[in-house]
Amino acid sequence: MVELTIKKRHAIKKGQLSSLVLKLEENIGDEAKLYSSKMIEIAETASKFNIYLIDKKPLVIEKDDWAFPTLRGAIARPFKGRRIAVDMGAIPYVINGADVMRPGIVSVSDDVKANKPALVVDESHDKPLAVVIPLYDAPELRALEKGKAAKNLHYVGDELWNLEL
């Protein structure tokens, strides 16, 4: 596995902060307040998304038109929405980077939207396992019988999870 390295990091400007907060609010609603702090930095890396360090911890990722908590962010500052729960049989695959397939899904929260990030959690403990991009909205995911349901973006054990500062 390639190790993620930070090239540069610097405090974000007020304009960037308001943009980040708006994007977070679109995805997790009022719980975006959980991710506010006096010390928010952006880390420049070679990864496919921007990484925001809140109190020196990588708690938020941003890509194009959305921002969402990382797995560490979801664990450190839990929020309720955007969840796809998977059964115990799917867990080993999801935490190794596999996309989420419909047979492994147990439940989907109503606020899950196609092409917007969601959190994959295990069915029994509600522990975050991955950040995914669902291919369908919640009602369509529930109606789906087989096939790929969500693309895995960030999972336990990947380079962002193992990022040390």
Side-chain angles (χ1 to χ4, degrees), residues 44-59:
E44 292 181 21
T45 67
S47 73
K48 51 195 170 214
F49 35 72
N50 293 327
I51 301 168
Y52 288 91
L53 307 173
I54 300 173
D55 298 327
K56 299 183 181 179
K57 295 182 179 115
L59 300 185

Side-chain angles (χ1 to χ4, degrees), residues 150-164:
K151 183 167 176 22
N152 200 330
L153 188 68
H154 161 49
Y155 53 93
V156 173
D158 72 0
E159 64 273 1
L160 181 54
W161 174 261
N162 292 322
L163 180 65
E164 292 295 325

Side-chain angles (χ1 to χ4, degrees), residues 140-152:
E140 295 165 308
L141 271 175
R142 290 186 197 108
L144 199 64
E145 290 183 25
K146 61 183 180 177
K148 188 186 297 188
K151 183 167 176 22
N152 200 330

Side-chain angles (χ1 to χ4, degrees), residues 33-107:
K33 293 177 194 137
L34 295 170
Y35 296 89
S36 64
S37 173
K38 289 182 180 182
M39 183 60 166
I40 299 179
E41 299 172 281
I42 185 167
E44 292 181 21
T45 67
S47 73
K48 51 195 170 214
F49 35 72
N50 293 327
I51 301 168
Y52 288 91
L53 307 173
I54 300 173
D55 298 327
K56 299 183 181 179
K57 295 182 179 115
L59 300 185
V60 175
I61 54 176
E62 175 190 49
K63 185 174 182 182
D64 303 328
D65 61 340
W66 57 261
F68 200 75
T70 62
L71 290 175
R72 287 181 187 238
I75 291 167
R77 300 175 185 200
F79 59 95
K80 292 183 177 81
R82 292 274 174 104
R83 299 201 180 242
I84 299 173
V86 295
D87 62 25
M88 300 311 267
I91 292 173
Y93 298 100
V94 172
I95 64 171
N96 280 316
D99 292 335
V100 178
M101 305 302 280
R102 177 55 184 108
I105 296 175
V106 176
S107 67

Side-chain angles (χ1 to χ4, degrees), residues 14-24 62 67:
K14 286 185 180 180
Q16 288 175 301
L17 177 61
S18 60
S19 172
L20 178 65
V21 169
L22 281 172
K23 289 177 182 179
L24 268 174
E62 175 190 49

